[in-house]
Amino acid sequence: MNWPTAAGSDSRPDPDSEYWDERQETRPPGERRDEIIEKIGEQVRYAYDNSEFYREFYSDVDVDPRNITSFEEFEQLPILSSDDIKQEQKEHPPFGRFLCIDEEDIARIYGTSGTTGRPKVFGIGQDDWDRIGEWHAQILWSVGLRPDDRVIITSPFIQYLGSWGALAGVDHLGCTTFPFGAGMEGQTEQAVEWIADLQPDALYGTPSYALYLGETAEERGHDPAEDFDFKVMFFSGEPGASVPSTRRQIETMFDCEVVDQGSMAEMTPWMSNSGCRHLENGMHVWNDIVYTELLDPDTEESLEYGAEGVPTYTHLERTSQPMIRYWSGDITTWERHDETDCECGRTYPTLPKGIYGRADDMLVIRGKNIFPSQIEDQLHALDDYGDEFRIVVEREGALDSLQLVVEVADDAETGPDEFHDLVRQEIKSEVGVTPDVTVVKQGELDRTQFKADRVKDKRELAIDV
Ligand code: 8LH
């Protein structure tokens, strides 16, 4: 086998073809697994030979990292965590000893985009970057993009790999790319006018930004469905596109198809979880591009289809800074391809509900496990919801309280008191805890141009002090 595959091919399928590579995408899963384990073997051997970090990390394992030939052997390798990366990069700045190429051969440097703590640093070689572009293009083909499409990217061009990965894919596919960005003051108003003028066929961004964009368009007298006329919007970065009522709201507001995508910056190509144009909700797991396991959050054991667990990712062809068994900390469920109601014919497993949150986003309130995306789903399903909310959790004595600040729509048919009671009732029946609800006017809460940050857990602040 050729490992890694040569990067830089310009060939593209016929625009009428459903698939970029029919054999790869529709082959029997067993056949795919044979190829995956060979690639895993090559990837682990490569990392072991070229990275002092991995040699140290695997010094105590009972298998030979230079000769992994089965999934059973692979599953004996230790899990790599975000803290491992941070610690390694602190001790061996800036890249850590994951880096398997000379620093001078790094073509691009990215990093985590958070504002607190030491950022994680990602050095990516040119071959890897070219392969990332090709894989993203392949996956975007399944979303329905074709070379004659015009695509606007409306997420920030900062260290965030979401925007750059989408750009690499859209460029490789041969679309007309409009890398507009987001995050500057007044940029959303400008986006509305550019989109109305340029009529892109597709948009990439975060789902919460799409809703803000749609709301801004309406305020400026545009009908996003009529005046924008998107064919498809593809999203990543946060739950939303697979939160059923949020997805429906975006589909209705823009009258277009919605596709959910995304794993993590560490793993780029992060579109290896991606819906296709036929999938009603959720994402296929393109596990011959990035190998994905679903592991038990407590025991780290591999889970069967149907179970809920933590996606854990392994690069299959990364020469610069490979990640092997990287623990995402996210929570999802998965199912076998033939249990999924998708007519695309691809034989990948599916995450039918997308990624509904990070394990550490889960709020435990009075013994109930609550994901913010569950609350989002209930609120978006209410006709008079004003499109934004906040969650505040506080400890009052021995009891935790769930407080919700919820916007009511300007043109609501229910009065504020009635809306207040409805929210209390709907949320209680969904999550099992009665919230204290404060109703505010539409537009009162800040909108995001990137990933939404809606939760304040004051219990954590109390612990930190
Ligand atoms: C998601 C989703 C999704 C990511 N549904 N949660 O978006 C692409 C990549 C580059 C990205 O967002 O990476 P980043 O900034 O490292 O964040 C990763 C986290 O974002 C991931 O662990 C998830 O919690 C979340 N995320 N895509 C739900 N489609």
Side-chain angles (χ1 to χ4, degrees), residues 112-113 160-162 204 235-240 260-266 268 270 283 328 330 354-358 361 450-451:
T112 42
S113 44
Y160 175 58
L161 260 158
Y204 167 76
F235 297 111
S236 77
E238 60 180 4
D260 191 10
Q261 308 189 308
S263 66
M264 317 181 73
E266 286 82 340
T268 309
W270 48 261
M283 307 188 261
S328 65
D330 290 324
I355 292 168
Y356 28 93
R358 299 191 54 74
D361 284 345
F450 186 28
K451 300 190 186 196

Side-chain angles (χ1 to χ4, degrees), residues 415-436:
D417 290 346
E418 212 180 320
F419 183 69
H420 168 277
D421 294 348
L422 187 63
V423 170
R424 253 169 78 98
Q425 189 185 311
E426 292 296 313
I427 299 300
K428 181 177 180 214
S429 68
E430 169 65 19
V431 304
V433 174
T434 308
D436 295 330

Side-chain angles (χ1 to χ4, degrees), residues 272-284:
S272 63
N273 300 326
S274 175
C276 69
R277 66 198 173 110
H278 304 281
L279 191 65
E280 294 269 303
N281 208 51
M283 307 188 261
H284 298 306

Side-chain angles (χ1 to χ4, degrees), residues 215 218-219 249 253 382-387 407-416 418-419 439-443 447:
E215 208 179 52
E218 283 167 355
E219 278 164 19
Q249 188 174 354
M253 184 177 234
L382 301 178
D383 287 342
D384 289 337
Y385 173 51
D387 281 346
E407 287 187 359
V408 61
D410 285 339
D411 57 358
E413 290 188 359
T414 44
E418 212 180 320
F419 183 69
V439 175
V440 296
K441 285 201 289 198
Q442 184 159 17
R447 267 48 176 169

Side-chain angles (χ1 to χ4, degrees), residues 249-360:
Q249 188 174 354
I250 299 174
E251 283 167 347
T252 310
M253 184 177 234
F254 293 93
D255 188 23
C256 72
E257 282 167 9
V258 166
V259 173
D260 191 10
Q261 308 189 308
S263 66
M264 317 181 73
E266 286 82 340
M267 296 318 301
T268 309
W270 48 261
M271 285 181 188
S272 63
N273 300 326
S274 175
C276 69
R277 66 198 173 110
H278 304 281
L279 191 65
E280 294 269 303
N281 208 51
M283 307 188 261
H284 298 306
V285 182
W286 294 62
N287 56 6
D288 46 17
I289 290 183
V290 168
Y291 179 61
T292 303
E293 305 166 80
L294 199 71
L295 301 184
D296 185 290
D298 301 317
T299 64
E300 298 179 353
E301 296 285 317
S302 194
L303 294 171
E304 296 294 320
Y305 292 120
E308 179 180 87
V310 176
T312 301
Y313 302 113
T314 295
H315 279 131
L316 291 178
E317 290 184 87
R318 178 58 63 94
T319 55
S320 38
Q321 214 180 17
M323 296 285 125
I324 298 172
R325 304 202 82 203
Y326 184 59
W327 181 262
S328 65
D330 290 324
I331 293 285
T332 186
T333 56
W334 69 349
E335 62 188 21
R336 227 177 38 210
H337 76 96
D338 50 1
E339 291 165 338
T340 303
D341 193 15
C342 182
E343 61 190 48
C344 75
R346 292 181 180 81
T347 49
Y348 296 111
T350 296
L351 314 178
K353 300 182 199 162
I355 292 168
Y356 28 93
R358 299 191 54 74
D360 49 19

Side-chain angles (χ1 to χ4, degrees), residues 359-377:
D360 49 19
D361 284 345
M362 189 178 76
L363 300 164
V364 184
I365 303 175
R366 300 187 201 167
K368 303 276 193 258
N369 297 342
I370 304 170
F371 280 104
S373 57
Q374 281 175 278
I375 293 180
E376 176 183 336
D377 194 19

